[in-house]
Amino acid sequence: MTIRVATDIGGTFTDLVYLENGVINAVKADTTPPNFEQGLLNAVAKSGVSYADIEFFAHGSTVVINTLTERKGVKTALLTTRGFRDVLEIARGNTPDIFNTYYRKPPPFVPRHLRLEICERLNYRGEVVTPLNLEALPALLDTLRGEGVEAIAICLLHAYCNPVHEQQLMAAVSELWPQVAVIASHQVSRALREYERTNTTVLSAYVMPATRDYLDNLSKHLTDKGLQSAPFIMKSNGGISPVNAAKQDPISLVESGPVGGILGAQAYGQLIGESQLLALDIGGTTAKCSLIHDGKVDISNDYVIEKTAISAGYPIMTPVVDIVEIGNGGGSLAWIDAAGSLRVGPQSAGSTPGPVAYGRGGVAPTTTDANLYTGRINPDDFAGGEITPDVVGVERAFAKLGEQVGVSSKLLAHGVLQIANANMVNALKLISVNRGHDPRDFALMAFGGGGALHATALAAELGIPKVIIPPFAGVFSAWGMLMLDSRRDYIQTHLQLLDDEGLPGLTGAFSGLQATAEAQFADDGMSREKLRFEWHVDARYIGQEHTVKVALDELQLSSILERFHAQHEQAYTFRLELPIEVVNLHLVAFGEVPKSPMAPIGVSTSTTAEVALSGRRWVEFEPEQPIKTPLYQRSALLSGMRIDGPAIIEEATTTTVVRPADRLEVDPYGGLHIHINVQEVSA
C-alpha cells in the first residue's frame, strides 16, 4: 500500500490531505505555535495513516513569514562593498500615499553598526575594478562574534552579473567562522536593483537558522516515525522542492503555505474547463486571493511584506505567486476603534483561545462566531462535531459589543459579516481591477475553511456570475500540493534590445541557464527526461524604469513584440512605438512528480438533490429576516444534481452558503457551481 500526503500549516488549523487506494481523505488539527511540527504530527495521528506506507510527503509552512513578521530571526550582519553600507537605510522613495505625513521608511533588519564594508569593486559589466581584499576580514568577524551575530548576509556591488568576489568572500567567512550561517546575494537573486537585492539577502540570512532548524526537526520527527523518503516543501513560486534544496534558499518559502491553494485552483480549473478564475482562500487568520488568467497564474518578482499606508514595506526579490493577503479570516476579532466604529481584524483569535464558540476563554467575537450566530454554521456539527459550541457565550459577546455602538446582538453579528466581506471585496479588487481585469469576466473559486461561507456574497457585490466551491474546499491548499511539480526559477539580468539581431543572444543565454537547471535537478536525482522549461523575459520600452513579463512560447519576434505591447497596455493602459529592451531572463524549470488526479463522482439519474437533504434550520441571510433553510450533506451530492437557494451545504471541513435566488449545480468531480442571482448582480 502506498499513500500520498500533503500538509498545510495555517495560523489556526493544520490541514492534511492523503490519497490512499485512489480515495482522497482529509483531516484538520489545531496549529500548535511555536512548535508547528507538533500540529502536523497530530494531524497525521488523527488520520490514522502509517508513516511506513507514505511514498510522497509534501508540506507547506508559514515558518518564514512568521519569523519575519514576528521579528523572531537571529541577529544578522551585512558584508557589502565599501561605500554601500547604507543602501538599506537609503532604501527607496516609494511612498504608498504621497500625502500621508506619517510616512516613515521601514527600519532595516540590520542596524548600521552591523553593516560592515569590504574593499572590492566590480563595474556594471561585472569586470573587476578593485580586487577583493580580505586582510581586514578576520578582525571584522571578531567584531561580529563579539556582537552575538548568528547569520551573515553578503551583498557586493554588481554581483548579479559576476559573483566571483562574493564566492571568494563567502568561502573565507565559512573557513574562518564555520558555525555562522552565511548566504550571498548571487544565491538569492541574479537581478539588478541594489536595495532590493540587499534587502532580500538580509532577510534570507535573518530566517535561515530558524528555517533550517524547523526543516531539520520536521525531517527528524518524520524519519523517527517511519517516513522512508524525504519530504517536499512548498515554495512561494508555486512548485515543490526537496527539503535540502529548500534549506539553501529559505526566502523562497516566504509564502509557502498560501500558494498551494492557488495552484490547486489552477489545476482544478483545468480539470473542469475554467481558465478565468479569481481564487480566494479564507482561512482562520487571513484571506488570500490571486488571479488566474487564460489558465495561468501570475508570478511576481517584486514581492513586498508589511506594506501599509505609512510604510513602503520590505521588498523581496524572489518569485512569488501574485497574491493579495489581508488580515481577515474566521478567527478575525471584532472590535470598536477610537472613533466608535466597528472593525474586523487584522487581529485573530487563532486556535488558542480561538473564537468565543470554542469555549476556550475567548471573549471578543469573531467572524466564525457571526456565521454561527446567524445560522450559517451548524451548532450541532460544529468543527466536524469535535466541539460543542458555546452559543450562550457567543450571544453574550455580541450583545456586549453591540451595547457600545447601540445595536442588538444580531445586528452587530451581521455588521461583522458585512465588514469582513467589504475587506475581502477590496482584496479581490486589488488582484483584479488594479491589474487591469474586470472581475465580471471571471468565476470565483473559493476554498479554505471560510471561503464557501462568504463567496456568494462577495460574488454578488462584484458582479461575478458564478462561484465554484471545489471538492475538499476546507483543506484545498493541502490538496493543491498533490498536484504540483518540483520547480526552480532562474532570473538573471541580461540587458539587450529585443530585435532580430538580439534573438540569437537570447537563445544562447537561456541555454546556459537551462544547463545550470539540469545540473541542479540532477543533484536531486531527477533525470533530464522528467524536466520541462518555460522561457520568459522582463522587458520595457527604452527609457522606462519598470518591466512586464512576457512568455517566449516561440522565438518569433513579431509575436513576442505584440504580446509585450498587449500586456503593457493591459497593465498601464497605453502602448508606445519605441524600441523594447530586455532587462531580465526568467527560466522556469519543472521536474515532473507523480500527481494525484481527482476521480469523477457518481452521476445522478435525476436533477433533484432530495437524497442529500438532512434537515432545515433558521438562517438569517439578511438582518432579522430568518428563513427556514434546507440543509444538504455534500457527501451525498451526485453529478448533475441541482439545488435552488436558499440552501446550506455541509461537510466536515467547511460550509457552503447558497443565498436566496441563487442556483447550485454539481459538476462531475463534486465541485459546486453556484450561479449568482442575475437580477441582484445587475441591480
Side-chain angles (χ1 to χ4, degrees):
M1 180 191 305
T2 56
I3 300 175
R4 295 171 56 78
V5 173
T7 59
D8 173 37
I9 297 180
T12 305
F13 292 108
T14 294
D15 301 338
L16 182 144
V17 171
Y18 62 100
L19 180 72
E20 183 177 10
N21 298 325
V23 178
I24 298 177
N25 297 283
V27 298
K28 278 181 175 284
D30 286 346
T31 293
T32 54
N35 301 315
F36 291 98
E37 66 273 8
Q38 187 57 52
L40 183 153
L41 298 175
N42 293 343
V44 178
K46 188 175 180 180
S47 73
V49 168
S50 170
Y51 287 91
D53 294 331
I54 299 175
E55 68 166 358
F56 175 87
F57 193 104
H59 174 56
S61 169
T62 56
V63 62
V64 171
I65 190 64
N66 287 345
T67 301
L68 291 172
T69 57
E70 296 171 14
R71 300 299 190 271
K72 291 184 177 179
V74 300
K75 182 176 280 190
T76 302
L78 171 66
L79 297 180
T80 189
T81 303
R82 179 170 293 173
F84 288 86
R85 67 186 297 194
D86 292 323
V87 163
L88 288 180
E89 204 89 46
I90 297 168
R92 295 279 178 196
N94 303 336
T95 57
D97 179 357
I98 62 174
F99 300 108
N100 194 325
T101 58
Y102 290 96
Y103 172 78
R104 296 292 182 272
K105 288 184 178 180
F109 272 68
V110 179
R112 195 170 195 269
H113 72 280
L114 295 181
R115 304 196 301 261
L116 305 181
E117 298 179 340
I118 298 294
C119 182
E120 68 85 39
R121 187 66 180 265
L122 304 177
N123 65 17
Y124 72 97
R125 294 191 181 94
E127 300 164 343
V128 176
V129 176
T130 302
L132 177 65
N133 187 336
L134 297 176
E135 290 182 5
L137 183 61
L140 295 180
L141 296 184
D142 286 341
T143 299
L144 298 181
R145 283 193 194 93
E147 292 285 348
V149 165
E150 297 179 57
I152 295 177
I154 297 174
C155 189
L156 303 181
L157 194 66
H158 300 307
Y160 60 86
C161 57
N162 183 358
V164 59
H165 282 179
E166 283 196 349
Q167 292 167 342
Q168 294 170 1
L169 179 56
M170 186 175 180
V173 170
S174 298
E175 181 180 352
L176 293 169
W177 192 0
Q179 297 83 9
V180 75
V182 58
I183 190 167
S185 73
H186 71 272
Q187 298 174 290
V188 176
S189 174
R190 296 295 299 271
L192 54 76
R193 294 186 187 280
E194 286 307 306
Y195 167 60
E196 289 79 1
R197 188 164 58 91
T198 304
N199 192 73
T200 305
T201 310
V202 164
L203 296 188
S204 197
Y206 181 77
V207 302
M208 178 176 277
T211 305
R212 285 181 173 177
D213 289 347
Y214 174 79
L215 294 178
D216 286 340
N217 288 336
L218 175 66
S219 298
K220 183 179 185 303
H221 278 102
L222 294 176
T223 301
D224 290 347
K225 293 286 186 179
L227 184 68
Q228 302 297 311
S229 57
F232 284 86
I233 306 300
M234 184 76 216
K235 298 181 68 176
S236 305
N237 62 4
I240 53 177
S241 171
V243 66
N244 286 332
K247 288 192 296 184
Q248 304 305 314
D249 188 15
I251 202 65
S252 68
L253 310 183
V254 65
E255 287 291 0
S256 170
V259 299
I262 306 304
L263 274 295
Q266 179 190 35
Y268 192 71
Q270 291 174 346
L271 192 64
I272 61 175
E274 294 280 353
S275 61
Q276 300 288 94
L277 294 168
L278 284 170
L280 174 66
D281 178 2
I282 304 177
T285 306
T286 60
K288 287 83 64 176
C289 53
S290 187
L291 184 137
I292 300 169
H293 178 52
D294 291 336
K296 296 180 180 179
V297 174
D298 285 337
I299 303 292
S300 172
N301 305 331
D302 303 313
Y303 184 68
V304 179
I305 63 170
E306 301 184 13
K307 182 177 181 179
T308 68
I310 60 173
S311 173
Y314 298 91
I316 299 178
M317 290 182 72
T318 190
V320 178
V321 170
D322 192 8
I323 291 177
V324 169
E325 182 171 357
I326 61 170
N328 262 116
S332 294
L333 299 173
W335 53 287
I336 307 298
D337 66 16
S341 301
L342 178 64
R343 304 284 293 275
V344 180
Q347 301 88 350
S348 174
S351 59
T352 304
V356 177
Y358 283 14
R360 299 174 181 171
V363 293
T366 67
T367 308
T368 293
D369 294 318
N371 279 308
L372 176 69
Y373 193 38
T374 56
R376 290 163 168 79
I377 295 177
N378 188 351
D380 298 324
D381 193 29
F382 189 71
E386 297 182 10
I387 297 176
T388 300
D390 182 3
V391 178
V392 174
V394 169
E395 182 175 7
R396 187 185 307 118
F398 279 115
K400 182 179 179 180
L401 204 62
E403 290 177 1
Q404 298 183 48
V405 291
V407 300
S408 69
S409 57
K410 277 289 176 68
L411 278 175
L412 195 284
H414 281 282
V416 168
L417 293 178
Q418 291 169 0
I419 291 172
N421 287 343
N423 292 336
M424 296 174 196
V425 163
N426 288 336
L428 288 167
K429 287 180 178 178
L430 288 174
I431 203 67
S432 57
V433 177
N434 283 29
R435 303 287 199 275
H437 297 278
D438 188 337
R440 294 172 295 185
D441 297 333
F442 294 77
L444 176 63
M445 186 177 291
F447 44 92
L453 281 162
H454 296 263
T456 51
L458 301 177
E461 179 70 22
L462 287 167
I464 297 173
K466 183 168 72 171
V467 166
I468 301 171
I469 310 299
F472 305 100
V475 291
F476 197 65
S477 288
W479 177 81
M481 295 178 203
L482 297 178
M483 302 300 296
L484 303 178
D485 286 319
S486 180
R487 170 173 173 156
R488 281 191 170 100
D489 288 73
Y490 301 84
I491 300 174
Q492 183 168 337
T493 293
H494 180 87
L495 296 171
Q496 70 159 76
L497 288 177
L498 187 56
D499 54 22
D500 284 318
E501 295 181 1
L503 285 181
L506 278 182
T507 303
F510 271 113
S511 297
L513 291 178
Q514 205 158 296
T516 300
E518 291 173 4
Q520 292 185 352
F521 273 101
D523 291 340
D524 294 335
M526 192 164 288
S527 64
R528 173 64 180 84
E529 292 72 28
K530 293 186 177 181
L531 303 184
R532 61 184 175 88
F533 301 96
E534 293 179 359
W535 293 9
H536 306 263
V537 293
D538 297 326
R540 64 190 179 189
Y541 291 117
I542 286 286
Q544 283 188 326
E545 172 70 7
H546 297 289
T547 64
V548 296
K549 190 174 295 294
V550 180
L552 305 186
D553 297 332
E554 53 181 344
L555 285 177
Q556 295 293 327
L557 184 63
S558 58
S559 62
I560 296 172
L561 295 178
E562 177 52 36
R563 188 174 299 148
F564 169 83
H565 289 303
Q567 291 182 210
H568 188 281
E569 186 172 18
Q570 182 171 24
Y572 300 110
T573 73
F574 67 91
R575 59 174 68 196
L576 300 172
E577 294 300 324
L578 289 175
I580 297 168
E581 179 184 40
V582 173
V583 177
N584 297 320
L585 311 180
H586 184 176
L587 174 74
V588 185
F590 296 94
E592 183 180 350
V593 173
K595 308 294 189 306
S596 303
M598 192 171 286
I601 63 172
V603 179
S604 174
T605 58
S606 168
T607 59
T608 181
E610 290 299 313
V611 66
L613 185 66
S614 61
R616 283 177 168 79
R617 182 170 69 244
W618 290 102
V619 179
E620 286 193 10
F621 296 93
E622 298 294 336
E624 300 178 347
Q625 297 179 34
I627 299 175
K628 199 66 172 292
T629 302
L631 313 176
Y632 297 87
Q633 290 300 310
R634 185 168 185 175
S635 59
L637 294 175
L638 299 175
S639 175
M641 286 183 173
R642 297 182 180 180
I643 298 172
D644 291 328
I648 299 292
I649 316 299
E650 298 180 340
E651 55 186 302
T653 58
T654 192
T655 299
T656 300
V657 173
V658 184
R659 303 169 316 128
D662 291 343
R663 176 171 50 86
L664 179 149
E665 297 176 346
V666 184
D667 73 26
Y669 299 92
L672 309 179
H673 295 233
I674 306 169
H675 300 272
I676 304 303
N677 179 6
V678 176
Q679 292 182 349
E680 181 174 340
V681 169
S682 59

Short mmCIF file of all heavy atoms in Angstrom, two decimals, residues 429-465:
data_model
loop_
_atom_site.label_atom_id
_atom_site.label_comp_id
_atom_site.label_asym_id
_atom_site.label_seq_id
_atom_site.Cartn_x
_atom_site.Cartn_y
_atom_site.Cartn_z
N LYS A 429 -10.58 43.24 -5.50
CA LYS A 429 -10.40 44.34 -6.45
C LYS A 429 -8.91 44.61 -6.69
O LYS A 429 -8.49 44.91 -7.82
CB LYS A 429 -11.08 45.61 -5.93
CG LYS A 429 -12.59 45.58 -6.01
CD LYS A 429 -13.19 46.88 -5.48
CE LYS A 429 -14.70 46.89 -5.59
NZ LYS A 429 -15.28 48.15 -5.02
N LEU A 430 -8.11 44.51 -5.65
CA LEU A 430 -6.67 44.74 -5.80
C LEU A 430 -6.04 43.74 -6.76
O LEU A 430 -5.13 44.09 -7.52
CB LEU A 430 -5.98 44.65 -4.43
CG LEU A 430 -6.23 45.80 -3.46
CD1 LEU A 430 -5.60 45.50 -2.11
CD2 LEU A 430 -5.68 47.11 -4.02
N ILE A 431 -6.52 42.50 -6.75
CA ILE A 431 -5.91 41.48 -7.60
C ILE A 431 -6.54 41.44 -8.99
O ILE A 431 -5.99 40.84 -9.91
CB ILE A 431 -6.03 40.08 -6.94
CG1 ILE A 431 -4.96 39.13 -7.49
CG2 ILE A 431 -7.41 39.47 -7.14
CD1 ILE A 431 -3.55 39.50 -7.12
N SER A 432 -7.66 42.13 -9.19
CA SER A 432 -8.33 42.11 -10.50
C SER A 432 -8.38 43.50 -11.12
O SER A 432 -7.62 43.80 -12.05
CB SER A 432 -9.74 41.53 -10.36
OG SER A 432 -10.51 42.26 -9.42
N VAL A 433 -9.19 44.39 -10.59
CA VAL A 433 -9.35 45.73 -11.16
C VAL A 433 -8.02 46.47 -11.21
O VAL A 433 -7.67 47.09 -12.22
CB VAL A 433 -10.39 46.54 -10.35
CG1 VAL A 433 -10.50 47.94 -10.91
CG2 VAL A 433 -11.75 45.84 -10.38
N ASN A 434 -7.26 46.39 -10.14
CA ASN A 434 -5.97 47.09 -10.11
C ASN A 434 -4.93 46.47 -11.03
O ASN A 434 -3.88 47.07 -11.27
CB ASN A 434 -5.42 47.11 -8.68
CG ASN A 434 -6.10 48.14 -7.81
OD1 ASN A 434 -7.27 48.46 -8.02
ND2 ASN A 434 -5.41 48.66 -6.82
N ARG A 435 -5.20 45.29 -11.55
CA ARG A 435 -4.30 44.63 -12.50
C ARG A 435 -4.84 44.75 -13.93
O ARG A 435 -4.31 44.14 -14.85
CB ARG A 435 -4.13 43.15 -12.17
CG ARG A 435 -3.62 42.84 -10.77
CD ARG A 435 -2.15 43.18 -10.61
NE ARG A 435 -1.56 42.50 -9.48
CZ ARG A 435 -1.58 42.91 -8.22
NH1 ARG A 435 -2.17 44.06 -7.93
NH2 ARG A 435 -1.01 42.22 -7.25
N GLY A 436 -5.93 45.52 -14.09
CA GLY A 436 -6.49 45.73 -15.42
C GLY A 436 -7.48 44.67 -15.86
O GLY A 436 -7.72 44.52 -17.06
N HIS A 437 -8.09 43.93 -14.91
CA HIS A 437 -9.04 42.88 -15.24
C HIS A 437 -10.41 43.20 -14.64
O HIS A 437 -10.50 43.71 -13.52
CB HIS A 437 -8.57 41.52 -14.71
CG HIS A 437 -7.29 41.05 -15.32
ND1 HIS A 437 -7.23 40.42 -16.54
CD2 HIS A 437 -6.01 41.11 -14.86
CE1 HIS A 437 -5.97 40.11 -16.80
NE2 HIS A 437 -5.21 40.53 -15.80
N ASP A 438 -11.47 42.87 -15.38
CA ASP A 438 -12.84 43.06 -14.91
C ASP A 438 -13.27 41.78 -14.18
O ASP A 438 -13.33 40.71 -14.79
CB ASP A 438 -13.77 43.32 -16.10
CG ASP A 438 -15.18 43.71 -15.66
OD1 ASP A 438 -15.57 43.36 -14.53
OD2 ASP A 438 -15.90 44.34 -16.47
N PRO A 439 -13.58 41.85 -12.89
CA PRO A 439 -13.95 40.63 -12.16
C PRO A 439 -15.18 39.94 -12.72
O PRO A 439 -15.38 38.74 -12.51
CB PRO A 439 -14.20 41.14 -10.73
CG PRO A 439 -14.38 42.61 -10.84
CD PRO A 439 -13.57 43.05 -12.02
N ARG A 440 -16.02 40.67 -13.47
CA ARG A 440 -17.21 40.05 -14.05
C ARG A 440 -16.87 39.06 -15.16
O ARG A 440 -17.74 38.29 -15.59
CB ARG A 440 -18.14 41.15 -14.58
CG ARG A 440 -18.73 42.03 -13.48
CD ARG A 440 -19.49 43.21 -14.02
NE ARG A 440 -18.60 44.14 -14.73
CZ ARG A 440 -18.97 45.30 -15.23
NH1 ARG A 440 -20.24 45.71 -15.08
NH2 ARG A 440 -18.11 46.09 -15.83
N ASP A 441 -15.61 39.09 -15.62
CA ASP A 441 -15.18 38.14 -16.66
C ASP A 441 -14.63 36.85 -16.08
O ASP A 441 -14.14 36.00 -16.82
CB ASP A 441 -14.10 38.79 -17.53
CG ASP A 441 -14.61 40.01 -18.28
OD1 ASP A 441 -15.82 40.07 -18.56
OD2 ASP A 441 -13.80 40.91 -18.58
N PHE A 442 -14.71 36.70 -14.76
CA PHE A 442 -14.10 35.56 -14.08
C PHE A 442 -15.15 34.83 -13.24
O PHE A 442 -16.19 35.39 -12.89
CB PHE A 442 -12.96 36.02 -13.16
CG PHE A 442 -11.78 36.59 -13.91
CD1 PHE A 442 -11.82 37.88 -14.43
CD2 PHE A 442 -10.64 35.84 -14.11
CE1 PHE A 442 -10.74 38.41 -15.12
CE2 PHE A 442 -9.55 36.36 -14.79
CZ PHE A 442 -9.61 37.64 -15.30
N ALA A 443 -14.84 33.58 -12.93
CA ALA A 443 -15.58 32.85 -11.91
C ALA A 443 -14.78 32.94 -10.61
O ALA A 443 -13.55 33.03 -10.64
CB ALA A 443 -15.80 31.39 -12.32
N LEU A 444 -15.47 32.92 -9.48
CA LEU A 444 -14.81 32.98 -8.18
C LEU A 444 -14.72 31.57 -7.61
O LEU A 444 -15.74 30.95 -7.32
CB LEU A 444 -15.60 33.89 -7.23
CG LEU A 444 -15.08 33.99 -5.79
CD1 LEU A 444 -13.69 34.61 -5.76
CD2 LEU A 444 -16.05 34.80 -4.93
N MET A 445 -13.49 31.05 -7.49
CA MET A 445 -13.29 29.75 -6.86
C MET A 445 -12.84 29.98 -5.43
O MET A 445 -11.78 30.56 -5.19
CB MET A 445 -12.26 28.90 -7.62
CG MET A 445 -12.14 27.48 -7.06
SD MET A 445 -10.99 26.40 -7.97
CE MET A 445 -11.88 26.19 -9.52
N ALA A 446 -13.66 29.56 -4.48
CA ALA A 446 -13.42 29.84 -3.07
C ALA A 446 -13.15 28.56 -2.30
O ALA A 446 -13.79 27.54 -2.54
CB ALA A 446 -14.61 30.58 -2.47
N PHE A 447 -12.21 28.64 -1.37
CA PHE A 447 -11.83 27.47 -0.59
C PHE A 447 -11.26 27.94 0.74
O PHE A 447 -11.33 29.13 1.08
CB PHE A 447 -10.84 26.59 -1.35
CG PHE A 447 -9.74 27.34 -2.04
CD1 PHE A 447 -8.53 27.57 -1.41
CD2 PHE A 447 -9.92 27.85 -3.33
CE1 PHE A 447 -7.52 28.28 -2.04
CE2 PHE A 447 -8.91 28.55 -3.97
CZ PHE A 447 -7.70 28.77 -3.33
N GLY A 448 -10.67 27.03 1.50
CA GLY A 448 -10.31 27.34 2.88
C GLY A 448 -11.52 27.13 3.76
O GLY A 448 -12.66 26.99 3.28
N GLY A 449 -11.32 27.13 5.07
CA GLY A 449 -12.43 26.88 5.97
C GLY A 449 -13.56 27.87 5.86
O GLY A 449 -14.71 27.54 6.11
N GLY A 450 -13.26 29.13 5.46
CA GLY A 450 -14.28 30.16 5.39
C GLY A 450 -14.68 30.59 4.00
O GLY A 450 -15.60 31.38 3.84
N GLY A 451 -14.01 30.08 2.97
CA GLY A 451 -14.27 30.55 1.62
C GLY A 451 -15.70 30.34 1.17
O GLY A 451 -16.34 31.24 0.62
N ALA A 452 -16.24 29.14 1.41
CA ALA A 452 -17.57 28.83 0.94
C ALA A 452 -18.66 29.56 1.73
O ALA A 452 -19.79 29.70 1.25
CB ALA A 452 -17.79 27.31 1.03
N LEU A 453 -18.34 30.02 2.93
CA LEU A 453 -19.30 30.77 3.73
C LEU A 453 -19.55 32.18 3.17
O LEU A 453 -20.64 32.71 3.28
CB LEU A 453 -18.80 30.89 5.18
CG LEU A 453 -18.98 29.67 6.07
CD1 LEU A 453 -18.06 29.77 7.29
CD2 LEU A 453 -20.43 29.54 6.52
N HIS A 454 -18.52 32.76 2.57
CA HIS A 454 -18.60 34.17 2.16
C HIS A 454 -18.67 34.36 0.65
O HIS A 454 -18.94 35.47 0.19
CB HIS A 454 -17.37 34.92 2.69
CG HIS A 454 -17.31 34.99 4.18
ND1 HIS A 454 -17.75 36.07 4.91
CD2 HIS A 454 -16.85 34.09 5.10
CE1 HIS A 454 -17.57 35.85 6.20
NE2 HIS A 454 -17.02 34.66 6.34
N ALA A 455 -18.40 33.32 -0.13
CA ALA A 455 -18.16 33.50 -1.57
C ALA A 455 -19.34 34.09 -2.32
O ALA A 455 -19.17 34.96 -3.17
CB ALA A 455 -17.75 32.16 -2.18
N THR A 456 -20.56 33.62 -2.05
CA THR A 456 -21.69 34.10 -2.84
C THR A 456 -21.97 35.58 -2.57
O THR A 456 -22.32 36.33 -3.50
CB THR A 456 -22.95 33.27 -2.54
OG1 THR A 456 -23.15 33.19 -1.11
CG2 THR A 456 -22.79 31.85 -3.09
N ALA A 457 -21.80 36.03 -1.32
CA ALA A 457 -22.00 37.45 -1.02
C ALA A 457 -20.95 38.30 -1.71
O ALA A 457 -21.25 39.38 -2.24
CB ALA A 457 -21.96 37.67 0.48
N LEU A 458 -19.71 37.82 -1.76
CA LEU A 458 -18.64 38.57 -2.41
C LEU A 458 -18.88 38.64 -3.92
O LEU A 458 -18.67 39.68 -4.55
CB LEU A 458 -17.29 37.90 -2.13
CG LEU A 458 -16.89 37.76 -0.66
CD1 LEU A 458 -15.56 37.02 -0.54
CD2 LEU A 458 -16.79 39.13 0.00
N ALA A 459 -19.30 37.52 -4.51
CA ALA A 459 -19.55 37.50 -5.95
C ALA A 459 -20.67 38.46 -6.32
O ALA A 459 -20.59 39.18 -7.33
CB ALA A 459 -19.89 36.07 -6.39
N ALA A 460 -21.74 38.49 -5.52
CA ALA A 460 -22.85 39.40 -5.81
C ALA A 460 -22.39 40.85 -5.75
O ALA A 460 -22.79 41.68 -6.57
CB ALA A 460 -23.98 39.16 -4.81
N GLU A 461 -21.52 41.18 -4.80
CA GLU A 461 -21.03 42.55 -4.66
C GLU A 461 -20.19 42.97 -5.86
O GLU A 461 -20.25 44.13 -6.31
CB GLU A 461 -20.19 42.65 -3.39
CG GLU A 461 -19.60 44.01 -3.12
CD GLU A 461 -20.64 45.05 -2.74
OE1 GLU A 461 -21.74 44.65 -2.28
OE2 GLU A 461 -20.37 46.25 -2.91
N LEU A 462 -19.43 42.04 -6.43
CA LEU A 462 -18.52 42.35 -7.53
C LEU A 462 -19.13 42.07 -8.90
O LEU A 462 -18.48 42.33 -9.93
CB LEU A 462 -17.23 41.55 -7.38
CG LEU A 462 -16.29 42.01 -6.26
CD1 LEU A 462 -15.21 40.96 -6.01
CD2 LEU A 462 -15.65 43.34 -6.61
N GLY A 463 -20.34 41.55 -8.96
CA GLY A 463 -20.95 41.23 -10.24
C GLY A 463 -20.40 39.97 -10.88
O GLY A 463 -20.54 39.76 -12.09
N ILE A 464 -19.77 39.12 -10.11
CA ILE A 464 -19.22 37.85 -10.63
C ILE A 464 -20.36 36.87 -10.83
O ILE A 464 -21.15 36.63 -9.91
CB ILE A 464 -18.17 37.28 -9.66
CG1 ILE A 464 -16.99 38.24 -9.54
CG2 ILE A 464 -17.71 35.90 -10.09
CD1 ILE A 464 -15.98 37.84 -8.48
N PRO A 465 -20.50 36.29 -12.02
CA PRO A 465 -21.70 35.49 -12.31
C PRO A 465 -21.71 34.09 -11.68
O PRO A 465 -22.79 33.51 -11.54
CB PRO A 465 -21.67 35.38 -13.84
CG PRO A 465 -20.23 35.54 -14.20
CD PRO A 465 -19.65 36.48 -13.20
#
